[in-house]
């Protein structure tokens, strides 16, 4: 088996012995189409480097490479009290963060509100009203009876947005299955401010940020080696610090060449033109049936929203294929429902510790009303491994590309998101892929490298809370630089000073 990365012990070697020939052939086919070997990883990373540069050029490319007006890292001495709002896929989180005097310290209080599913395909007004209601409720609860000055807010809006200013953001397109009418192509800040003003909520939006930028800055608050912030969750993306001199599309602004600015790559859009990624017939269907076909080609092969769907599509195909016929004679109506499996379904299968895959068997029966034979269990386990491994290995291509572009031989990368935090072996598989792409043989300690054990030259580590602490820090950094006279990307410096 080529380059699939570390697997859980004990090895399940030999378990394919009693596999019928047709299923074995099918497993070999799936291994072939879902495996990304070392030369391919390298080719993808190299192409990625040139696409990152293209996104920064005047002509632009598939990867948006959005300048964020978050200009520079924190020094650990930021202070003040800030609100943070995180509009995630499933929840809306509101936090109040106090940055005290102590270096790298923070206190946080927070509330979580469920994002109603119907909101995701509703209209803009419903969205902004819902968000404003949650903010109003939070303030009413935590500051009952207090007379408040306007609290500065960092709003984590984790979708691609063009920002002319830090408190401005034109939504380029919805991602992650969102499809709310009347938001794309517009600045999201005015309707948000209108909704909070209507409720008299004492808030001043200071910074609109992406979750990746928040992750980068929150992690850098306590780690001076931090260079890249990544999210591997429902969606996937990264942010890093670039010098203005390397951003031709900002040339007209005559910014100092050595001034740093965080770039939200929006790398989910990598290879939308289908030049290099090894797409399977199943990736093609995921894209075609999504609300935004043709967009987010990389994300659709990697991110949590799509892993379960890819798995489901393969199983339906193998049931319907007369030469394979898994689940023969059974009713597959539950499996037939699009997006009925999420990535935790695959995680659970990969976590099944039993040689006979008893937990997987029970899961299929309980959730899909399907009784799997032993060979079928072997097939679904292998399929989950293949899809999970491909996700981790392709993710590593993006990280390697930023390191290559920036010439980083060593770096810390802060990562967050459900796939990174919960999907079994994701970290180890990603670390193994980085080792292959970047040709490491030794770790930072000069000893032979065991990827993912803390000595990797480029080490992907669990991040600090980007959309809470990170958003607060970016608001703090913004106010600090405005007071210091750096007003690049600030629409109205005077209003920020009050
Ligand atoms: C969005 C990004 C976001 C990522 C992770 C993608 O779908 O376009 O803005 O950073 O998901 O949440």
């Amino acid at each position: 088996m080529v380059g699939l990365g570390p697997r859980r012990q004990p090895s399940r070697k030999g378990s394919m012995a009693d596999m019928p020939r047709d299923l074995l052939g099918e497993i070999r086919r799936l291994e072939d189409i879902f495996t990304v070997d070392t030369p391919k990883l390298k080719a993808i990373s190299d192409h990625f480097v040139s696409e990152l540069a293209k996104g920064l050029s005047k002509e632009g490319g598939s990867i948006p490479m959005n300048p964020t007006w978050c200009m520079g890292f924190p020094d650990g001495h930021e202070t003040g009290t800030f609100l943070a709002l995180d509009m995630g896929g499933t929840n809306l989180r509101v936090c109040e963060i106090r940055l005290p005097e102590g270096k790298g310290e923070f206190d946080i209080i927070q509330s979580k509100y469920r994002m109603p599913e119907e909101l995701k395909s509703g209209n803009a007004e419903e969205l902004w009203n819902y968000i404003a209601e949650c903010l109003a409720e939070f303030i009413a609860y935590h500051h009952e009876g207090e007379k408040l000055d306007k609290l500065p807010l960092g709003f984590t809006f984790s979708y691609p947005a063009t920002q002319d200013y830090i408190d401005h953001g034109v939504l380029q397109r919805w991602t992650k299955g969102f499809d709310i009418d009347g938001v794309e192509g517009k600045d999201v800040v005015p309707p948000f401010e209108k909704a909070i003003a209507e409720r008299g909520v004492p808030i001043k939006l200071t910074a609109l940020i992406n979750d990746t930028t928040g992750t980068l800055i929150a992690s850098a608050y306590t780690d001076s080696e931090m260079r890249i912030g990544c999210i591997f969750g429902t969606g996937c993306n990264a942010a890093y610090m670039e010098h203005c001199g390397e951003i031709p599309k900002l040339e007209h602004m005559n910014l100092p060449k050595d001034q740093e600015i965080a770039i939200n790559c929006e790398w989910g859009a990598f290879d939308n033109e289908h030049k290099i990624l090894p797409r399977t017939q199943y990736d093609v269907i995921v894209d075609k049936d999504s609300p935004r076909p043709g967009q987010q080609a990389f994300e659709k092969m990697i991110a949590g929203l799509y892993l379960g769907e890819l798995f489901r599509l393969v199983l339906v195909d193998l049931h319907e294929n007369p030469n394979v016929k898994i689940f023969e004679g059974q009713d597959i109506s539950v499996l037939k429902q699009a997006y009925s499996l999420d990535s935790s379904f695959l995680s659970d299968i990969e976590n099944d510790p039993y040689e006979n895959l008893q937990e997987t068997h029970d899961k299929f029966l309980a959730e899909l009303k399907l009784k799997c034979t032993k060979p079928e269990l072997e097939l679904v386990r292998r399929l989950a491994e293949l899809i999970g491994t491909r996700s981790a290995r392709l993710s590593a291509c993006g990280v390697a590309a930023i390191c290559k572009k920036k010439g980083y031989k060593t770096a810390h990368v802060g990562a967050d998101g459900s796939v990174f935090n919960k999907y079994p072996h994701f970290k180890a598989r990603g670390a193994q892929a980085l080792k292959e792409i970047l040709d490491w043989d030794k770790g930072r300690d000069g000893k032979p490298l065991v990827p993912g054990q803390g000595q990797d030259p480029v080490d992907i580590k669990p991040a600090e809370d980007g959309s809470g602490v990170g958003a607060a820090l970016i608001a703090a950094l913004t106010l600090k630089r405005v007071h210091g006279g750096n007003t690049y990307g600030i629409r109205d410096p005077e209003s920020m000073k009050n």
Side-chain angles (χ1 to χ4, degrees):
M1 208 177 308
V2 189
L4 282 171
R7 291 180 60 190
R8 171 180 286 253
Q9 295 300 326
S11 148
R12 296 175 37 75
K13 238 190 219 163
S15 50
M16 303 280 178
D18 51 1
M19 179 73 64
R21 286 205 79 74
D22 47 356
L23 276 201
L24 197 56
E26 213 32 58
I27 290 179
R28 296 293 170 248
R29 180 185 75 88
L30 294 170
E31 284 174 344
D32 190 44
I33 61 173
F34 280 104
T35 299
V36 192
D37 63 12
T38 312
K40 186 71 180 173
L41 286 180
K42 290 187 174 194
I44 295 170
S45 306
D46 287 342
H47 184 56
F48 217 127
V49 177
S50 60
E51 289 296 302
L52 293 173
K54 204 163 161 197
L56 294 173
S57 72
K58 288 186 187 147
E59 302 71 36
S62 282
I63 308 184
M65 302 296 277
N66 293 327
T68 63
W69 304 106
C70 163
M71 308 191 89
F73 284 111
D75 61 14
H77 293 291
E78 289 66 25
T79 54
T81 300
F82 301 89
L83 287 180
L85 167 68
D86 178 15
M87 187 188 139
T90 22
N91 296 308
L92 195 74
R93 188 166 64 114
V94 184
C95 321
E96 185 170 318
I97 293 121
R98 198 174 64 88
L99 305 172
E101 293 292 332
K103 188 168 192 294
E105 290 180 4
F106 60 87
D107 305 317
I108 181 164
I109 49 172
Q110 50 184 328
S111 295
K112 200 156 110 177
Y113 307 87
R114 189 148 284 286
M115 278 279 277
E117 200 51 41
E118 56 280 11
L119 215 63
K120 291 188 194 166
S121 47
N123 68 52
E125 205 172 319
E126 289 162 1
L127 172 73
W128 302 123
N129 285 340
Y130 179 75
I131 293 179
E133 290 293 338
C134 294
L135 276 167
E137 193 181 312
F138 181 89
I139 302 270
Y141 184 75
H142 293 287
H143 294 278
E144 203 190 336
E146 288 175 46
K147 175 116 192 57
L148 290 177
D149 278 343
K150 284 201 166 178
L151 284 167
L153 170 84
F155 178 7
T156 306
F157 182 73
S158 303
Y159 305 89
T162 310
Q163 295 190 274
D164 292 339
Y165 308 100
I166 195 152
D167 56 348
H168 165 258
V170 175
L171 176 62
Q172 292 163 338
R173 74 199 66 81
W174 285 118
T175 57
K176 297 181 275 204
F178 270 65
D179 193 9
I180 305 175
D181 226 26
V183 191
E184 282 167 313
K186 298 197 183 122
D187 183 0
V188 298
V189 175
F192 165 77
E193 285 184 327
K194 179 167 169 279
I196 55 172
E198 278 167 6
R199 286 161 184 80
V201 192
I203 286 173
K204 163 93 186 90
L205 187 141
T206 305
L208 185 78
I209 74 157
N210 187 259
D211 50 1
T212 53
T213 320
T215 298
L216 172 67
I217 297 300
S219 302
Y221 189 48
T222 51
D223 179 349
S224 60
E225 280 195 65
M226 199 49 72
R227 296 290 175 271
I228 302 173
C230 290
I231 301 287
F232 303 113
T234 308
C236 74
N237 188 17
Y240 74 103
M241 247 347 136
E242 187 57 275
H243 289 108
C244 289
E246 301 295 319
I247 312 177
K249 65 183 177 185
L250 290 185
E251 216 170 76
H252 62 284
M253 298 190 70
N254 287 322
L255 302 164
K257 290 198 173 353
D258 59 353
Q259 165 74 60
E260 286 188 314
I261 182 167
I263 298 294
N264 163 19
C265 302
E266 289 296 337
W267 77 18
F270 171 64
D271 204 35
N272 278 351
E273 56 285 85
H274 309 316
K275 283 196 181 145
I276 190 116
L277 291 173
R279 294 212 309 164
T280 65
Q281 65 199 88
Y282 310 106
D283 298 297
V284 174
I285 303 176
V286 164
D287 181 44
K288 195 164 61 55
D289 293 348
S290 73
R292 296 289 179 279
Q295 302 290 347
Q296 304 295 93
F298 188 55
E299 177 161 276
K300 284 170 178 162
M301 296 175 78
I302 288 176
L305 179 59
Y306 306 103
L307 298 183
E309 182 61 3
L310 282 167
F311 178 83
R312 190 190 72 80
L313 287 168
V314 176
L315 294 187
V316 171
D317 180 38
L318 298 191
H319 172 77
E320 286 171 355
N321 180 339
N323 298 323
V324 188
K325 284 199 212 142
I326 57 169
F327 315 134
E328 196 173 5
Q330 299 191 58
D331 172 9
I332 69 154
S333 50
V334 185
L335 185 70
K336 275 261 184 167
Q337 288 162 27
Y339 288 90
S340 52
L341 306 183
D342 66 17
S343 54
S344 70
F345 197 92
L346 276 70
S347 301
D348 290 347
I349 294 174
E350 286 220 51
N351 272 330
D352 184 346
Y354 298 108
E355 186 65 29
N356 63 352
L357 299 172
Q358 186 62 37
E359 290 187 351
T360 306
H361 174 273
D362 296 350
K363 197 170 172 63
F364 267 75
L365 201 53
E367 293 178 36
L368 300 174
K369 311 273 175 289
L370 291 172
K371 200 165 162 39
C372 299
T373 62
K374 181 84 196 334
E376 286 166 357
L377 287 172
E378 292 297 341
L379 182 140
V380 298
R381 164 73 160 232
R382 189 73 192 107
L383 178 60
E385 285 172 358
L386 287 168
I387 292 175
T389 303
R390 187 184 72 160
S391 163
R393 288 172 71 78
L394 289 179
S395 299
C397 294
V399 175
I402 296 182
C403 291
K404 282 189 177 194
K405 176 171 192 319
K406 295 298 293 174
Y408 296 145
K409 294 282 177 251
T410 61
H412 286 169
V413 176
D416 207 348
S418 51
V419 173
F420 183 77
N421 292 324
K422 296 198 195 133
Y423 198 98
H425 320 306
F426 186 86
K427 296 186 188 86
R429 289 166 176 169
Q432 167 66 30
L434 272 183
K435 175 177 184 282
E436 291 169 38
I437 301 168
L438 298 171
D439 290 318
W440 300 326
D441 53 359
K442 291 196 183 65
R444 285 182 179 219
D445 55 2
K447 297 190 182 143
L449 182 67
V450 186
Q453 299 294 306
Q455 294 300 328
D456 309 40
V458 175
D459 192 5
I460 309 183
K461 302 155 83 77
E464 295 291 342
D465 169 15
S467 45
V469 178
L473 279 165
I474 294 173
L477 285 168
T478 304
L479 296 181
K480 191 160 145 187
R481 76 174 166 93
V482 171
H483 283 283
N486 174 343
T487 57
Y488 300 125
I490 306 292
R491 195 196 319 236
D492 179 3
E494 282 316 307
S495 80
M496 288 252 181
K497 285 186 190 160
N498 300 322

